[in-house]
Amino acid sequence: MSIAKGKLYLVPAPLDFGCDAQAPLQEVMPLGTLQIAARLCCWICENAKSTRAYLKRINELQPLSTPVQALNIQELPREVHKKGDHAGQFDARPLLVAALEGRDMGLVSEAGMPAIADPGSSVVRAAHDLGLQVVALTGPMSLMLALASSGLNGQNFAFVGYLPQDPSGRAQRIRELESLALKTGQTQLFIETPYRNAALLQGLLQTLQGNTRLALSCGLTLTNGVSRSAQVSHWKRDKPVLPLDLPTVFCIGR
């Protein structure tokens, strides 16, 4: 008799990774998501240490079925972190042996939904190729929260990842994205490592046209989080002070 295959659950994580303050888990994660996460004993993640810390937070609200130290936690390879796994070069099927043996598994990133602006898509592809059921659970997604807070076009939008770090390459890319946004109405979303947020904002204000709308959402779901949306000319006039040391989503559009 064949063994029933386990499921792959995509488990969102709170958006406070790397922040000094943490959002109360019960306020940002649905109970149903926490209950499913608490019963899983096999995990695939970016970083085992941060995953254990997240599961300990879950345990305070919903007791884990297996002690943290006894969980089977597998990390994605380092090259997946550096280069991503959305292009299809990484074969994640060996990570899913437990699901083939009948155990449910969880895929988690360090913040938000795995496989969106984070590694994990290779695991989801492999799960489908192996005939596993993939179940995405409800939780915070920074890109959608930022888009909803921006006042920009939510019917046509694109996430373009990170912009170049060098000023000339960054300015060229900003002009390309602005041209696309203004011609088509498609909102452009992108992110940056927090310690480079200020430089990116400065580059945007120096490069964008005055009538282009720029929106930033910093520290989403945190008590000190801020969302601001205005034309670039107003940004330059008002010079708002934002908590740019927090994870931030940038949006530009009409």
Side-chain angles (χ1 to χ4, degrees), residues 147 152-160 176-189 251-254:
L147 179 61
L152 292 166
N153 189 351
Q155 303 296 321
N156 184 8
F157 55 90
F159 172 62
V160 298
E176 291 173 352
L177 295 175
E178 180 184 42
S179 176
L180 180 61
L182 296 181
K183 286 180 180 179
T184 68
Q186 183 182 71
T187 302
Q188 305 297 310
L189 295 88
C251 309
I252 59 173
R254 290 176 179 171

Side-chain angles (χ1 to χ4, degrees), residues 162-166 170 191-203 244-246 248 250:
Y162 292 84
L163 273 55
Q165 294 179 30
D166 67 284
R170 182 174 61 213
I191 56 176
E192 184 51 276
T193 303
Y195 70 85
R196 289 198 288 260
N197 281 340
L200 176 54
L201 177 57
Q202 182 180 8
L244 293 173
D245 58 328
L246 298 176
T248 299
F250 298 78

Side-chain angles (χ1 to χ4, degrees), residues 16 24 30 36 47-48 57 72-73 79 86-87 122 141 149 178 185 203 232 237 241:
D16 52 26
I36 291 175
N47 181 277
R57 290 173 68 182
N72 177 3
I73 300 178
E79 61 267 21
H86 51 275
S122 61
M141 295 178 61
S149 301
E178 180 184 42
V232 169
R237 180 194 67 195
V241 177

Side-chain angles (χ1 to χ4, degrees), residues 27-28 53 60 69 92 96 100 106 125 130 158 218 220:
E27 295 182 9
V28 297
E60 295 174 358
Q69 61 271 21
L96 293 164
L100 295 176
R125 284 195 303 273
L130 292 171
C218 312
L220 286 162

